[in-house]
Amino acid sequence: MTTALSPVDPDSYRALMASHPGGVAVVTTDDGLTPYGFACTAWCGVSLDPPLLLVCASNTGSTLPVLAERGWFAVNLLHGAGRRAADAFAHRDAGRFSAVPWERSPATGLPLLPEDARVAAECRVHRLDRAGDHTVIIGEIFRAEPLPGADRAPLLYGMRTYATWPEA
């Protein structure tokens, strides 16, 4: 016997998602001139063969349409000292890229965050799937290079606070 259920309310959803930490990433792309990006913890690996990962982007953000048009994006996985990038890209302020050092990838021209990230994965869009108020972006990884902070512990976000992965 099944009881009639309703989806949880937004506050319950936020509490659920905040209850377990995730690694912090900044997803970046550009339109050929202007860089775009957003912070997220909604990313994960999908497939080894071919090498796929996924990120989730807000349908109302400025980055998604640019990313979809360009067809390429980078996932910058932040280290513990990269909180300034997480803070800058967590808000919809136009000056995100003026708040952190960045450079273009020599391979794809995508914006990378070498001072705040451990590694960056440069991806070609494999698939876009709208899911509620977000779009799931699956990317095929064409380049994954350690950045100068590769030896630093990852930045995590959970329980509404940042933390750095503990050193072993």
Side-chain angles (χ1 to χ4, degrees):
M1 183 166 151
T2 303
T3 305
L5 296 174
S6 298
V8 298
D9 60 84
D11 289 337
S12 296
Y13 176 80
R14 284 186 191 97
L16 170 70
M17 299 312 292
S19 71
H20 192 79
V24 182
V26 172
V27 177
T28 58
T29 192
D30 71 353
D31 63 7
L33 295 173
T34 305
Y36 291 80
F38 61 91
C40 77
T41 56
W43 65 272
C44 68
V46 174
S47 168
L48 181 61
D49 185 20
L52 302 175
L53 61 71
L54 73 74
V55 297
C56 296
S58 171
N59 293 334
T60 60
S62 60
T63 303
L64 180 59
V66 175
L67 186 155
E69 175 70 25
R70 169 123 197 250
W72 285 83
F73 63 98
V75 180
N76 296 268
L77 303 180
L78 302 185
H79 55 66
R83 181 161 172 192
R84 68 177 172 184
D87 288 339
F89 287 87
H91 305 287
R92 294 186 182 204
D93 299 333
R96 296 173 186 162
F97 282 90
S98 64
V100 297
W102 65 279
E103 61 187 41
R104 293 199 180 275
S105 162
T108 61
L110 290 165
L112 303 179
L113 307 177
E115 291 186 22
D116 294 290
R118 306 178 75 243
V119 65
E122 296 171 62
C123 307
R124 183 176 64 195
V125 172
H126 179 77
R127 183 174 171 168
L128 299 171
D129 285 312
R130 190 175 175 110
D133 59 5
H134 277 64
T135 293
V136 177
I137 304 159
I138 298 177
E140 185 171 7
I141 305 167
F142 278 82
R143 187 167 183 255
E145 295 295 323
L147 296 171
D151 60 338
R152 298 175 109 168
L155 180 65
L156 305 174
Y157 185 78
M159 298 172 15
R160 294 184 171 79
T161 190
Y162 290 104
T164 301
W165 186 271
E167 296 293 327

